[in-house]
């Protein structure tokens, strides 16, 4: 469990923690608030991420993510749901550019064989190469 510092980049900080602690498999959960956010939506037709920026304070109502391997390094994949002052929610694939106001996270590290990401022809995404 931990607290992220004011002003840090949410995704980059979670990645940094995973690398520093040598966590290759894990689960991440977080709540808190951001000063601004950037999230992605994967367009299944074009196979390109479309990014949306919210340049205002929002609550983190839920961040759920995992840690696996990509090109030999710990890789954090997280999705986030955010809410505004009226309670309206937004969400998507967490991207760099999401700046922490306050954030409490839980990180579970797992033992076991590596889950590595490889390019998946069907989706165009870097998915786990393990069996179903
Ligand atoms: Zn995603």
């Amino acid at each position: 469990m931990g607290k992220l510092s004011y002003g840090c980049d949410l995704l980059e900080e979670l990645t940094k923690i995973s690398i520093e602690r040598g966590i290759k498999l894990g689960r991440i959960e977080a709540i808190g608030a951001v000063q601004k956010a950037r999230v992605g939506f994967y367009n299944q037709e074009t196979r390109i991420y479309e990014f949306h920026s919210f340049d205002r304070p929002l609550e983190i109502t839920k961040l759920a993510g995992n840690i696996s391997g990509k090109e030999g390094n710990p890789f954090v994949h997280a999705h986030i749901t955010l809410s505004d002052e009226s309670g309206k929610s937004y969400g998507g694939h967490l991207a760099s550019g999401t700046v922490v106001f306050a954030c409490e996270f839980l990180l579970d590290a797992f033992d076991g064989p590596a889950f590595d990401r490889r390019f998946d022809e069907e989706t165009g995404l870097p998915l786990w190469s393990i069996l179903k």
Side-chain angles (χ1 to χ4, degrees):
M1 291 170 64
K3 181 188 90 147
L4 299 183
S5 52
Y6 177 90
C8 73
D9 185 286
L10 181 50
L11 179 60
E12 289 173 10
E13 197 66 15
L14 291 173
T15 301
K16 189 173 144 203
I17 290 165
S18 305
I19 292 169
E20 283 174 356
R21 300 191 181 198
I23 299 169
K24 294 176 178 162
L25 287 176
R27 176 175 60 189
I28 301 173
E29 182 180 316
I31 55 172
V34 297
Q35 300 175 48
K36 62 179 186 174
R38 186 166 164 264
V39 298
F41 174 84
Y42 188 68
N43 184 317
Q44 296 176 18
E45 294 291 320
T46 63
R47 298 189 165 199
I48 292 170
Y49 271 101
E50 296 164 4
F51 291 95
H52 302 284
S53 293
F54 301 93
D55 198 13
R56 57 196 166 109
L58 296 163
E59 294 284 315
I60 304 169
T61 54
K62 177 73 174 184
L63 178 150
N66 57 58
I67 303 165
S68 60
K70 189 176 174 191
E71 292 158 9
N73 296 309
F75 178 81
V76 173
H77 179 203
H79 286 197
I80 190 167
T81 306
L82 303 148
S83 69
D84 67 13
E85 65 280 2
S86 69
K88 190 172 176 184
S89 291
Y90 310 90
H93 175 99
L94 178 65
S96 294
T98 300
V99 177
V100 168
F101 179 77
C103 182
E104 298 171 347
F105 68 91
L106 304 176
L107 200 166
D108 294 318
F110 303 133
D111 292 324
F115 277 34
D116 286 318
R117 292 182 180 277
R118 298 218 181 104
F119 180 76
D120 177 73
E121 290 283 345
E122 282 178 331
T123 63
L125 291 166
L127 300 181
W128 288 335
S129 58
I130 54 155
L131 298 175
K132 296 165 189 133

